[in-house]
Amino acid sequence: MPSRAAGVTAAPAVPVRKGSGRLLAAAVLVAALTGGAAGVAGGRLAVGDEAAPAALPRAAAAPPVPSGSPGTAGGLSGTAARVLPSVVSVESGRGAGSGFVIDGSGHLLTNAHVLAGSAAGAGVTVVLDDGRRLPAAVVGTDEAYDLAVLRVDDARGLTAAVLGRSADLAVGDQVLAVGSPLGLAGTVTGGIVSALDRQVRLGGRGQTALQTDASINPGNSGGPLVNARGEVVGINTAIATLSRRGTGSIGIGFAIPIDRAVPVAERIIRG
């Protein structure tokens, strides 16, 4: 039977591969990560739209940073400093979560379930890294992929995150999860990529997700998972729990790969 965590209906994990059993042999559940009751609504987008999408800027392909390497100048503290200005807290109705700026036009990406029933065009509030609170409109959502795009009218002072390539990831790569778990804005946790193609149910459908042991909790949903260069490689979306009451991190979290999220976001922006 489905369970509830943070007000969101969670579905049992599906088998990883034939013969490999289910995620943990115990009653492991996959729960979405919002800081309050949440739902999915808003103008669902047709994923099959073949019109040319609006292109979001992407980082150039680069060799993976070996596990244990500081990766870039300043190490992981430098990585956190680069990504934090792009991350926001999202407040909508009874739901709360995280998101991040994806371009210079005021667009932000988050999870559809964070919006707690807000219709397309409805207002939500985003809280920037510097504490400013800005109204944002729901541009559109794609419930099947559990993704949504928001937009603020005044993009001055916003810093767009660098969108990386999840295809370049390897198991063991260092990653940081950034967001507002339990309302604690600007929280950064670290870990590694535990698996690249874990089968879970996200957005009401079975799909592959990145698995990480970086600590993510309710409120992290919609925030970025970044590599050691500070490039977004996933959108933190769900965690595995051992019971219906367990909503905290047990070291098994899931993120939507950025390579899957970018085309959906581009279609939503194009309208």
Side-chain angles (χ1 to χ4, degrees):
M1 294 180 64
S3 68
R4 287 194 168 274
V8 179
T9 301
V14 298
V16 177
R17 293 188 179 85
K18 183 177 180 181
S20 64
R22 294 180 180 273
L23 290 179
L24 302 180
V28 174
L29 309 172
V30 176
L33 298 166
T34 51
V40 285
R44 177 170 174 172
L45 199 71
V47 177
D49 191 342
E50 296 181 357
L56 291 171
R58 303 289 298 276
V65 177
S67 179
S69 167
T72 54
L76 293 180
S77 60
T79 299
R82 281 186 289 277
V83 71
L84 277 168
S86 305
V87 181
V88 303
S89 298
V90 179
E91 301 173 358
S92 174
R94 295 174 299 153
S98 305
F100 55 97
V101 183
I102 56 175
D103 64 17
S105 300
H107 292 107
L108 302 93
L109 187 61
T110 186
N111 284 137
H113 72 255
V114 168
L115 300 184
S118 299
V124 299
T125 299
V126 296
V127 184
L128 308 185
D129 180 57
D130 61 9
R132 284 184 294 155
R133 300 174 64 87
L134 298 178
V138 180
V139 177
T141 69
D142 191 311
E143 298 172 20
Y145 287 91
D146 195 15
L147 293 167
V149 174
L150 305 174
R151 181 179 57 80
V152 297
D153 288 333
D154 186 357
R156 290 177 297 178
L158 296 185
T159 301
V162 178
L163 304 182
R165 300 175 185 277
S166 49
D168 293 340
L169 288 173
V171 172
D173 283 352
Q174 289 181 315
V175 287
L176 296 180
V178 189
S180 303
L182 306 179
L184 302 172
T187 295
V188 179
T189 57
I192 63 169
V193 175
S194 304
L196 297 172
D197 55 357
R198 193 66 77 198
Q199 286 285 336
V200 295
R201 289 193 65 82
L202 299 176
R205 59 182 285 178
Q207 53 185 294
T208 58
L210 302 174
Q211 180 184 331
T212 179
D213 67 347
S215 179
I216 53 179
N217 289 283
N220 269 121
S221 200
L225 185 73
V226 303
N227 62 19
R229 290 181 292 273
E231 301 163 354
V232 179
V233 292
I235 297 91
N236 301 316
T237 299
I239 57 174
T241 64
L242 293 173
S243 71
R244 297 178 183 180
R245 293 181 178 272
T247 59
S249 173
I250 59 171
I252 302 177
F254 303 102
I256 300 169
I258 195 64
D259 290 353
R260 183 186 307 148
V262 163
V264 176
E266 290 172 337
R267 293 185 184 109
I268 293 175
I269 292 170
R270 188 189 67 246

